[in-house]
Amino acid sequence: MDFPINPPIGERVRRKETERFVSGTGRYVDDLLPAGTLHVSFVRSSCAHARIKSIDVTAARAMPGVRAVYTGADIAAHVKPLRVGGSSVLRPVKLYPLAVDKVRYFGEPLAVVVADNRYLAEDAIDMVAVDYEMLPAVVDPEKAMEPGAALVHEEAGSNIVYKFHFATDGIDKVFQDAEVVIKERIRSHRITACPIEPRAYLAHYNKDEDTLTMWSATANPHSLRGRIAEIIDFPEGKIRVIAPDVGGSFGVKIQTYQEELLLPYLSRELGRPIKWCETRIEHMRNGRHGRDQIHYVEMALKKDGTMLGIRDKIIADMGSTYTVDHSIQAAALYMTGVYQIQNYSVDALGIATTKTTHGSLRGIGKADASYILERLVDIAARQLKIDPIELRLKNFIPAEAFPYRNVTGALYDSGQYHLAMRRTAEMAGYDRLRQEQIELRKQGIYRGIGVAFVMEPTSSSRIHATGGYASCRLRIDPSGAATVFSSMGEQGQGHETTIAQIVASQTGIPFDKITVIHGDTLPTPYGFGTGSSRSSVVLMPSAWVAGKLMRDKMLGIAARQLKVLPENLQIDGGKVFAKDHPEQSIAVMEIIRTAYGAIHLLPENMEPGLEVTGYFINPNIDYTPDDKGRMNTFSSYPYAAVIAVVDVDIETGMIKIVRYSTVHDCGNMINPQIVDTQQQGSIMQGIGAALYEELRYDEDGQLISSSFMDYRLPCAEEVPELQLEHIITPNPFTPLGAKGAGETGMLGPPPALCSAVEDALSPFGVKVRETPLTPDRVLNLIEKAQATPAHG
Amino acid sequence: MAKSITLTVNGKSYSGEADSRTLLVHFLRDALSLTGTHVGCVVGRCGACTVMWNGTAVKSCMVFAVQADGDEVVTVEGLVKDKRLHPLQQSFWKNDAVECGYCTPGMLMSAYGLLQKNRNPSDEQIKKAISGNLCRCTGYGNIVAAIKEAAGNFTK
């Protein structure tokens, strides 16, 4: 495909939105305080699994400044149940904004206090007395599947709440006949997104107008609006959801939450604005958790390293109030990754446990798949004594095979895997690194080199979930300035800048005169949440389409006046002129004035004004599987090659990342600066996941890492030397040639660092199968390996 | 127990009522409507609420408002002079050191605190100075570069 993209598309334009952020004039939900606002605080379950025998709110109601206290039962009588489960879940269950009868995870909200300020609300929640009948915590998903295990939802009859199966013919024969079979149990541990702004909501029911405005730190305003309408049985058209500036999401703010759906009810009931900003501890306990899949996975190979097939069994811990978050399917469909493997089977189970609900997190499902697959490839390389780069090069899908249909039906848009891997090896000085490693070992320095090649399916599209389209409405005002109304909100991705770049490129309206409105359901067209890195794949193309429609309209007006065919006209420098005769020109302002005020000069059948809506539909999505269960649910496939170098201190267990080299391909870049910054952040989040961060539950189901004290995010001092390069293989399925750019970075560190640490500690025969690689875990691994004499 | 306090914020004198337990960050945001200072964890771990308190960068969730009675506080809003961005703010913008913007005010104030004391910091010193400020978006690299560049143009 030819990509007719012109500046400022592709330029490192400075972000528009940054000016207000550095000035302290960004507006986040917590910055809003309408007159008369009441504040809420939630009474939360102090145990993982229990029946609620009674809740005594008498003392709390009598506390100073308390306006109201509601329990789950009070609420359930007046609202509809939450939409939980859905068609692809085996066992849908009924849940409410506050727990009724039973609590199913530590921290689940079960009552709410409304008070004059947040301090008083928090005082009062301590006065609510809850009497529990304790039930066994369901913590281990493998035990939860056994007969006789306590049930998280009795009415479901089982803790197995989701099943997915896929198999190619003759897969077992492939394994029977294989020269080599590598078999492992690998788990991706439980983590969470941790945007620096926790969740925050403000609901304001206006009695005079009978309307409801909901300000939410959400990444999914249109969907939230529908959910609110459903749950409080209020006309959707009278609800306006506004996501003002949102302080990061990384997936966690794309879902709707129990608290989020309760506030509109409270505001309507009490006739006052109701505000809640969660604390960090609440965020760790109640924000959606991610990863946490156990894979029993096998790979069949020839002795020469040719990969023949993969068999996988996935056990995914979905937590308690499970929703369909697609993480399991996303992992199951991509376990063959970037390799030419056409024999595959998977049995995946989603298990309900008494933990916080599982949900979206940067790289959802695909990160589990790429981590486990890349570890398996590394383990195979070690066992076969083949260099991990050579093994990958031998099995990569070749550049000429794209678009490539993988074994599960996924259609990979484009890629140059061999090139990316070789370029990374060159950049990292791979051959020299191997030499240095030998020298350093002699000096007692345990240096390891880890290779990974991760691929991130982006822009997911599923029926009634994410739709496969986005839109932008574009208006040029009579004054000559333009406004774009984007169907998707933003949480730091820089849409105000990139959309303006695209519209400026198409229409010739100067970048500085283009304003982008997003996150507000009133002026913006319907759209799905900002996730799955879909902005660049589907939203930006919709801005491109809107720009093109506008351009066509402007050229049509000019064509009639100049008596030149539109295709012979060009827009530049505030003028439209004939390409061959630049002296034949008309000012853009004159076109705008004509469109609004001199409509007798418009071409026949052209509507007045300058307002258009551009839709873009991902053209390469399958909404239903074929007769063999194959389908493509993502529309672009960015990837990255990684080589990580680490030194492991065997006395302390500390890991130092010496250098992290990566070559990334996200296709054409609308703004390479924004891609670079986002990728650096994404890589650091992956480093956190690999080395520091873990949500740990004890056997009673208590979350024991629930603050930044014990759930450690990487800080500035932990930034390694990064070598970052791009190769560009344009995505042929969008007019901009872009692929998703936000998530691939995060996928690289877990497999690359684990393989690097295993490599560093190979003299001990250490096997890395559990993460994160905290110092104590590394020391335990060394100790365990030393106690096992089988290695040399 | 409410107490009347007076403090100088960004060069202007403010008076207000504060309970003995009211955190400085809440006083700045709720009583003075200076919402540039953000709340990310309220336990002193994320740094989004960092302000200058009597010349030192501190996390304002770790200070009671009454402790700052009679004192001088500078918040991110105070960096803008005559509608012109401070060199640090300009440098953050130029170096793309900002994505969602939530950690940014705290990050700027920690950097401001560092540059008050050290006009020529090394990368290591910069990283140490902002090690108490968490950013989930940028991966810190551009922030360090921005602070380094601003050091040369720093004005109080």
Side-chain angles (χ1 to χ4, degrees):
Chain A
M1 189 188 270
D2 182 28
F3 298 97
I5 50 179
N6 302 307
I9 297 175
E11 292 183 350
R12 300 174 86 89
V13 178
R14 199 167 68 153
R15 291 183 203 228
K16 281 175 179 281
E17 44 277 76
T18 302
E19 185 171 20
R20 65 176 185 273
F21 294 145
V22 295
S23 311
T25 54
R27 278 289 167 273
Y28 303 84
V29 173
D30 195 14
D31 302 340
L32 308 168
L33 198 64
T37 297
L38 297 176
H39 300 260
V40 302
S41 189
F42 291 92
V43 180
R44 296 181 180 279
S45 169
S46 58
C47 45
H49 195 194
R51 238 174 274 292
I52 301 168
K53 285 168 72 181
S54 66
I55 305 175
D56 185 352
V57 300
T58 324
R61 280 207 175 110
M63 290 286 284
V66 171
R67 300 300 179 109
V69 184
Y70 299 90
T71 66
D74 299 337
I75 300 294
H78 296 102
V79 301
K80 300 261 166 58
L82 307 179
R83 216 200 286 169
V84 177
S87 55
S88 54
V89 160
L90 286 176
R91 306 169 198 285
V93 293
K94 202 183 260 189
L95 292 164
Y96 288 93
L98 297 173
V100 182
D101 301 333
K102 194 171 143 169
V103 288
R104 293 181 177 83
Y105 66 94
F106 174 65
E108 181 168 9
L110 55 87
V112 63
V113 170
V114 187
D116 289 341
N117 68 47
R118 70 186 92 189
Y119 286 74
L120 297 173
E122 282 186 32
D123 287 345
I125 59 170
D126 291 339
M127 302 305 289
V128 173
V130 185
D131 192 9
Y132 298 102
E133 179 195 334
M134 300 298 277
L135 296 167
V138 182
V139 180
D140 180 336
E142 295 187 86
K143 287 185 184 153
M145 293 158 57
E146 291 169 4
L151 294 178
V152 181
H153 298 272
E154 283 90 350
E155 70 272 33
S158 167
N159 289 327
I160 301 174
V161 294
Y162 178 85
K163 279 186 183 173
F164 181 80
H165 169 77
F166 179 89
T168 51
D169 295 338
I171 179 73
D172 292 338
K173 181 89 170 55
V174 171
F175 276 81
Q176 274 165 27
D177 298 346
E179 291 172 344
V180 184
V181 174
I182 309 287
K183 198 170 175 176
E184 291 290 342
R185 177 190 188 275
I186 306 176
R187 175 173 170 247
S188 56
H189 68 274
R190 202 173 187 89
I191 55 174
T192 187
C194 278
I196 305 303
E197 179 203 32
R199 294 179 298 143
Y201 311 124
L202 170 63
H204 187 183
Y205 172 69
N206 184 320
K207 218 181 331 181
D208 298 335
E209 295 175 359
D210 191 33
T211 57
L212 180 92
T213 305
M214 174 78 173
W215 288 270
S216 172
T218 180
N220 207 351
H222 288 281
S223 165
L224 172 60
R225 179 171 176 245
R227 294 291 181 97
I228 293 170
E230 261 169 40
I231 198 158
I232 63 168
D233 198 14
F234 192 70
E236 190 168 1
K238 288 185 167 221
I239 302 171
R240 178 180 184 184
V241 172
I242 302 173
D245 288 325
V246 177
S249 168
F250 317 104
V252 79
K253 289 174 181 166
I254 202 165
Q255 12 235 336
T256 40
Y257 285 88
Q258 287 171 286
E259 299 92 340
E260 195 172 18
L261 293 169
L262 179 61
L263 261 62
Y265 168 77
L266 296 176
S267 181
R268 205 168 157 216
E269 197 64 13
L270 299 169
R272 299 274 291 268
I274 305 285
K275 182 172 172 178
W276 177 66
C277 298
E278 81 180 334
T279 64
R280 181 57 57 181
I281 287 176
E282 287 180 303
H283 184 77
M284 305 304 287
R285 290 174 182 168
N286 294 74
R288 294 283 195 271
H289 292 174
R291 311 287 189 262
D292 213 353
Q293 294 185 353
I294 298 164
H295 288 231
Y296 289 90
V297 61
E298 302 169 83
M299 182 184 276
L301 301 101
K302 288 189 197 167
K303 272 185 197 153
D304 71 359
T306 306
M307 297 174 187
L308 301 172
I310 289 178
R311 268 196 306 213
D312 196 10
K313 182 181 171 193
I314 305 174
I315 296 161
D317 186 337
M318 303 308 290
S320 61
T321 55
Y322 51 85
T323 52
V324 189
D325 67 14
H326 303 297
S327 58
I328 302 173
Q329 223 190 61
L333 292 173
Y334 293 99
M335 276 305 293
T336 57
V338 290
Y339 306 105
Q340 302 185 74
I341 300 174
Q342 289 290 341
N343 299 296
Y344 174 60
S345 76
V346 61
D347 279 290
L349 302 174
I351 311 297
T353 60
T354 54
K355 294 180 190 161
T356 299
T357 305
H358 189 280
S360 282
L361 165 64
R362 202 174 211 170
I364 174 172
K366 298 104 59 171
D368 306 68
S370 73
Y371 165 64
I372 287 154
L373 172 63
E374 285 303 294
R375 286 296 297 128
L376 195 65
V377 171
D378 198 75
I379 293 162
R382 190 167 296 284
Q383 191 162 321
L384 293 170
K385 296 191 168 44
I386 299 176
D387 181 273
I389 290 183
E390 288 307 317
L391 183 60
R392 286 175 170 87
L393 289 172
K394 191 175 179 67
N395 291 283
F396 279 150
I397 297 159
E400 59 275 16
F402 290 92
Y404 176 83
R405 187 71 74 172
N406 92 348
V407 62
T408 62
L411 186 69
Y412 298 180
D413 61 280
S414 61
Q416 301 177 75
Y417 301 158
H418 291 88
L419 177 67
M421 188 75 256
R422 288 197 175 108
R423 178 63 201 130
T424 309
E426 195 178 290
M427 186 166 76
Y430 185 70
D431 296 337
R432 195 188 64 242
L433 286 173
R434 287 288 176 205
Q435 286 303 315
E436 279 171 11
Q437 183 179 33
I438 296 163
E439 292 304 313
L440 290 167
R441 284 253 166 94
K442 288 178 194 154
Q443 299 164 34
I445 293 170
Y446 290 84
R447 173 156 294 185
I449 301 152
V451 177
F453 200 100
V454 293
M455 189 268 294
E456 166 69 25
T458 59
S459 196
S460 66
S461 302
R462 295 183 181 89
I463 300 168
H464 298 311
T466 48
Y469 66 89
S471 56
C472 279
R473 188 158 59 87
L474 165 61
R475 179 199 299 150
I476 297 178
D477 294 329
S479 69
T483 309
V484 189
F485 302 91
S486 160
S487 68
M488 283 166 58
E490 83 137 58
Q491 309 82 39
Q493 296 87 351
H495 294 180
E496 292 176 32
T497 303
T498 44
I499 289 176
Q501 285 177 262
I502 292 166
V503 170
S505 164
Q506 288 276 24
T507 62
I509 301 293
F511 174 79
D512 289 336
K513 285 194 162 184
I514 300 168
T515 303
V516 178
I517 306 290
H518 54 82
D520 183 342
T521 58
L522 184 65
T524 64
Y526 191 89
F528 297 98
T530 310
S532 195
S533 300
R534 69 167 53 78
S535 307
S536 52
V537 190
V538 67
L539 177 68
M540 297 301 147
S542 80
W544 188 88
V545 172
K548 184 168 186 320
L549 291 171
M550 183 64 84
R551 179 188 179 86
D552 290 347
K553 186 162 190 183
M554 292 162 76
L555 293 183
I557 297 169
R560 177 164 175 201
Q561 303 222 11
L562 297 174
K563 300 189 172 51
V564 176
L565 287 173
E567 54 268 32
N568 295 333
L569 293 173
Q570 191 173 334
I571 306 182
D572 202 6
K575 275 195 250 176
V576 174
F577 52 86
K579 286 175 195 165
D580 299 337
H581 300 280
E583 70 284 359
Q584 279 182 275
S585 73
I586 177 170
V588 168
M589 272 316 296
E590 192 51 39
I591 295 172
I592 296 169
R593 275 195 287 269
T594 304
Y596 283 102
I599 61 173
H600 63 291
L601 296 177
L602 294 179
E604 211 175 326
N605 297 328
M606 184 183 274
E607 289 168 352
L610 289 172
E611 184 152 339
V612 297
T613 301
Y615 280 86
F616 184 74
I617 301 168
N618 281 145
N620 53 337
I621 298 293
D622 303 322
Y623 288 94
T624 50
D626 69 7
D627 57 346
K628 290 186 169 156
R630 294 177 302 191
M631 65 193 295
N632 182 45
T633 54
F634 290 83
S635 77
S636 87
Y637 294 84
Y639 58 90
V642 178
I643 295 176
V645 182
V646 303
D647 283 344
V648 182
D649 184 330
I650 62 159
E651 303 296 326
T652 64
M654 292 288 284
I655 295 163
K656 180 182 160 43
I657 304 173
V658 178
R659 200 182 311 116
Y660 188 93
S661 309
T662 182
V663 171
H664 181 217
D665 181 358
C666 59
N668 290 338
M669 290 179 273
I670 299 158
N671 184 325
Q673 176 65 72
I674 287 179
V675 172
D676 277 353
T677 310
Q678 197 170 105
Q679 203 198 353
Q680 288 175 45
S682 199
I683 291 168
M684 279 314 287
Q685 197 167 7
I687 290 173
L691 302 186
Y692 314 123
E693 301 172 29
E694 183 181 20
L695 292 162
R696 288 191 310 278
Y697 282 86
D698 69 11
E699 58 191 18
D700 298 323
Q702 296 275 336
L703 179 62
I704 51 178
S705 47
S706 59
S707 78
F708 284 154
M709 308 286 270
D710 33 32
Y711 187 95
R712 209 166 76 73
L713 267 55
C715 74
E717 287 184 292
E718 281 131 8
V719 181
E721 184 191 333
L722 285 179
Q723 282 185 311
L724 213 88
E725 257 188 32
H726 291 275
I727 59 171
I728 293 172
T729 320
N731 173 1
F733 298 114
T734 91
L736 291 163
K739 311 174 193 184
E743 299 172 276
T744 321
M746 186 170 183
L747 268 51
L753 293 174
C754 288
S755 294
V757 169
E758 195 166 277
D759 186 46
L761 299 177
S762 59
F764 301 99
V766 159
K767 287 183 177 181
V768 175
R769 303 293 183 269
E770 297 280 328
T771 45
L773 291 169
T774 53
D776 57 330
R777 180 167 275 133
V778 171
L779 289 179
N780 283 338
L781 283 173
I782 297 171
E783 207 171 298
K784 210 167 88 187
Q786 281 177 321
T788 317
H791 301 279
Chain B
M1 189 65 79
K3 187 182 176 231
S4 181
I5 60 169
T6 301
L7 54 168
T8 304
V9 183
N10 303 333
K12 238 169 100 179
S13 178
Y14 290 93
S15 295
E17 295 276 306
D19 279 344
S20 51
R21 64 175 176 171
T22 302
L23 302 177
L24 177 58
V25 64
H26 288 145
F27 185 78
L28 292 170
R29 291 176 52 82
D30 299 342
L32 308 187
S33 299
L34 291 168
T35 55
T37 304
H38 295 154
V39 179
C41 73
V42 238
V43 293
R45 298 298 293 188
C46 81
C49 66
T50 306
V51 300
M52 295 294 288
W53 179 30
N54 293 338
T56 303
V58 298
K59 291 168 177 174
S60 61
C61 72
M62 295 280 94
V63 179
F64 292 114
V66 292
Q67 285 177 279
D69 190 11
D71 292 348
E72 196 170 327
V73 170
V74 181
T75 69
V76 67
E77 289 93 341
L79 295 183
V80 179
K81 292 269 158 64
D82 305 324
K83 294 187 177 170
R84 276 181 63 86
L85 294 179
H86 186 275
L88 260 171
Q89 293 169 310
Q90 287 175 15
S91 185
F92 268 56
W93 194 4
K94 184 180 159 208
N95 286 279
D96 205 40
V98 177
E99 286 184 40
C100 80
Y102 202 77
C103 76
T104 306
M107 205 60 91
L108 283 164
M109 297 318 292
S110 284
Y112 185 82
L114 167 72
L115 298 189
Q116 288 276 345
K117 292 178 175 134
N118 181 354
R119 296 295 167 84
N120 189 22
S122 65
D123 282 5
E124 295 316 306
Q125 287 169 323
I126 293 171
K127 287 179 181 179
K128 195 171 164 59
I130 60 165
S131 64
N133 294 76
L134 298 176
C135 170
R136 197 57 148 171
C137 293
T138 67
Y140 305 105
N142 294 356
I143 296 174
V144 173
I147 296 169
K148 187 125 180 159
E149 190 178 303
N153 309 318
F154 189 72
T155 45
K156 265 197 169 181

